[in-house]
Amino acid sequence: TAIQVTDKGDVLGAEETSTLKKSASAPAAPAATAPAPMTMMMGGSVLTLVFITFVLVIVNIGSDRMMNNQLGKKISNKLDSISDQLDTVSAFQYSEVGIALDLDTNYCSGAKVDLSNFNCTQAVIDGVEQSGANVTEGYEGLINANSTPPITTPYYQAGLCPVNVHWHLGAEHLSVGEYDEHGKGPYDSYAIYDGEGATEVDYYRRKLGAGGVRIGYQCQYYDESDSKYTEAYDWQHCTDMVVGQTYEIHWPHSTVGACGTPYQYQTPFYDGVFCNYAAMAPNGTTTHNNVGVQSQTFTVVNDENYYYPDLFKGMMVAGDYGSDIAYYTGSTTGTSRDNDICSAYSPITWQVDRKCHLISASSFDKMCADMKAQVDDMSDDLYAHGARMLVSDELAAKQVV
């Protein structure tokens, strides 16, 4: 049965099996053609009203859990900056047929609100939950997040759209028996081992800063006697990727991304998350039900039986793929944070597939080709990012079962 994918990234009509078969060879990179102009209806008065709304929204978004003082100051500064830019720069061009989007002006660029990392001691005191956490079924973190529960429906049903895709070397989350400290993988010159993530192997014993990035947990599929885990793949679009290796893909989503426009996907992902906040966010908006991340962990194989053409759009949901999800609230991740230094971008929803799956290298390469075809430059996400150390129990929220 053919796999069909909706424009929201959901897989429909798939045969209930965990093996996905490719009916044709992996397509070449799509040509980067300019999208047709989109007529937009936005005038100066609307923009003014938008920013008044934005100010009201910011009053409501603050809370102890979101570091309200710091967030308020940062967003206030961002508001002033955007207001100044709107006086001189327009993302819209007037013509005889209406108002067309100017593809040379990325109106999401710079939308990120910069929040500094902070000491995790304060995060424990304030209950500012972090990611990635242990997502093993039955695990309970020590932070009670009942007042800011995660989204437990598919994101599109809650009005969120994907605004970015990127991945980490090894898994940032821990799922016992799936991706954990007993996982294994191939030699990877890009990986840096620090004793907390991947299985301890001599070739990972390199000092941080020597090149490459920190590797997280690995899946348990790798078998050096099976050619699908060891045969090299001729990568055309992704960089520093290795067959047999484990990667955790993240798809950040937002209710206020540039959904349905050429600017929907952004790098850095923060620009996509905050792009239309001023124009679209209702009063009382909170991050836990307006920002979310899908997470799915894979072992890459050189086997076209595991080809999937739309990895770019979001988590795979078919058969065993996406069937066992952990829901919790946490934060942004990355190696600039650990259990001493925490992220201020919290709380946000996480929907994490507890299972590790096989995916063909060509599927990853097709995803990278799709990334290259976007209007915004996503080249900084065409390689694996480093994995954050697993957060401690004191920094993790309870899962919603």
Side-chain angles (χ1 to χ4, degrees):
T1 304
I3 293 177
Q4 298 179 8
V5 183
T6 71
D7 58 3
K8 301 179 179 68
D10 295 291
V11 181
L12 303 174
E15 183 178 357
E16 293 299 309
T17 175
S18 62
T19 301
L20 301 177
K21 295 188 176 181
K22 179 184 177 185
S23 59
S25 59
T33 57
M38 299 175 57
T39 58
M40 308 293 290
M41 300 191 64
M42 180 177 289
S45 61
V46 175
L47 288 175
T48 301
L49 196 56
V50 159
F51 281 98
I52 294 174
T53 302
F54 186 43
V55 174
L56 294 175
V57 168
I58 298 312
V59 172
N60 288 282
I61 193 175
S63 67
D64 289 340
R65 296 160 55 76
M66 274 296 292
M67 308 291 290
N68 61 316
N69 291 334
Q70 184 185 81
L71 180 60
K73 291 178 181 178
K74 292 290 186 178
I75 293 182
S76 177
N77 292 337
K78 177 61 64 177
L79 176 61
D80 292 340
S81 173
I82 295 175
S83 180
D84 291 342
Q85 292 178 32
L86 284 175
D87 291 336
T88 57
V89 178
S90 176
F92 303 93
Q93 301 270 330
Y94 289 88
S95 69
E96 293 180 358
V97 296
I99 305 174
L101 186 67
D102 179 7
L103 295 181
D104 292 328
T105 303
N106 180 358
Y107 62 89
C108 295
S109 179
K112 174 186 177 182
V113 177
D114 292 310
L115 297 177
S116 300
N117 294 335
F118 67 105
N119 194 297
C120 290
T121 301
Q122 192 63 43
V124 172
I125 295 172
D126 293 341
V128 182
E129 58 263 55
Q130 298 292 298
S131 297
N134 186 338
V135 294
T136 307
E137 186 172 4
Y139 170 81
E140 291 191 1
L142 298 181
I143 292 179
N144 186 332
N146 289 341
S147 62
T148 55
I151 301 166
T152 56
T153 61
Y155 285 145
Y156 75 89
Q157 292 182 7
L160 287 75
C161 72
V163 296
N164 172 272
V165 59
H166 63 273
W167 53 96
H168 296 263
L169 179 58
E172 292 193 298
H173 290 88
L174 168 68
S175 183
V176 174
E178 293 290 333
Y179 36 92
D180 57 23
E181 67 275 17
H182 301 297
K184 51 190 175 181
Y187 169 75
D188 189 343
S189 61
Y190 191 58
I192 297 174
Y193 175 77
D194 65 1
E196 296 291 337
T199 305
E200 186 168 346
V201 180
D202 285 342
Y203 52 72
Y204 285 133
R205 293 180 181 175
R206 298 196 297 154
K207 294 181 178 180
L208 291 171
V213 296
R214 181 184 184 274
I215 187 170
Y217 296 107
Q218 291 177 299
C219 300
Q220 302 183 26
Y221 286 115
Y222 182 76
D223 181 356
E224 62 182 7
S225 66
D226 188 336
S227 62
K228 71 172 174 283
Y229 298 104
T230 60
E231 185 177 347
Y233 177 80
D234 184 15
W235 298 92
Q236 299 297 309
H237 305 289
C238 303
T239 60
D240 293 315
M241 299 285 290
V242 177
V243 170
Q245 187 58 279
T246 296
Y247 300 96
E248 180 177 322
I249 302 181
H250 292 169
W251 293 270
H253 286 60
S254 175
T255 59
V256 293
C259 303
T261 78
Y263 292 121
Q264 178 170 327
Y265 286 85
Q266 294 284 319
T267 295
F269 70 84
Y270 296 96
D271 284 352
V273 167
F274 288 107
C275 181
N276 282 324
Y277 197 92
M280 299 175 63
N283 287 338
T285 290
T286 49
T287 52
H288 66 93
N289 54 5
N290 285 277
V291 179
V293 184
Q294 288 178 332
S295 172
Q296 200 161 38
T297 298
F298 298 93
T299 292
V300 174
V301 294
N302 195 344
D303 186 339
E304 295 308 305
N305 286 316
Y306 298 93
Y307 177 76
Y308 178 70
D310 290 305
L311 206 54
F312 176 72
K313 293 182 178 179
M315 178 186 290
M316 294 176 61
V317 183
D320 194 42
Y321 290 71
S323 64
D324 184 8
I325 303 296
Y327 302 91
Y328 79 101
T329 53
S331 69
T332 54
T333 63
T335 52
S336 67
R337 296 108 180 186
D338 49 30
N339 285 324
D340 296 316
I341 302 299
C342 279
S343 169
Y345 296 96
S346 174
I348 61 176
T349 289
W350 280 85
Q351 297 186 357
V352 184
D353 191 340
R354 293 188 176 105
K355 303 292 185 183
C356 179
H357 307 281
L358 299 181
I359 194 73
S360 73
S362 59
S363 301
F364 248 96
D365 219 24
K366 168 62 164 55
M367 176 174 63
C368 289
D370 290 338
M371 294 168 69
K372 288 181 175 180
Q374 301 308 299
V375 174
D376 190 36
D377 181 6
M378 299 188 73
S379 59
D380 284 344
D381 283 327
L382 295 175
Y383 54 86
H385 299 274
R388 180 181 181 174
M389 181 183 298
L390 182 74
V391 301
S392 64
D393 296 344
E394 292 77 13
L395 292 170
K398 292 182 179 180
Q399 296 179 38
V400 173
V401 180

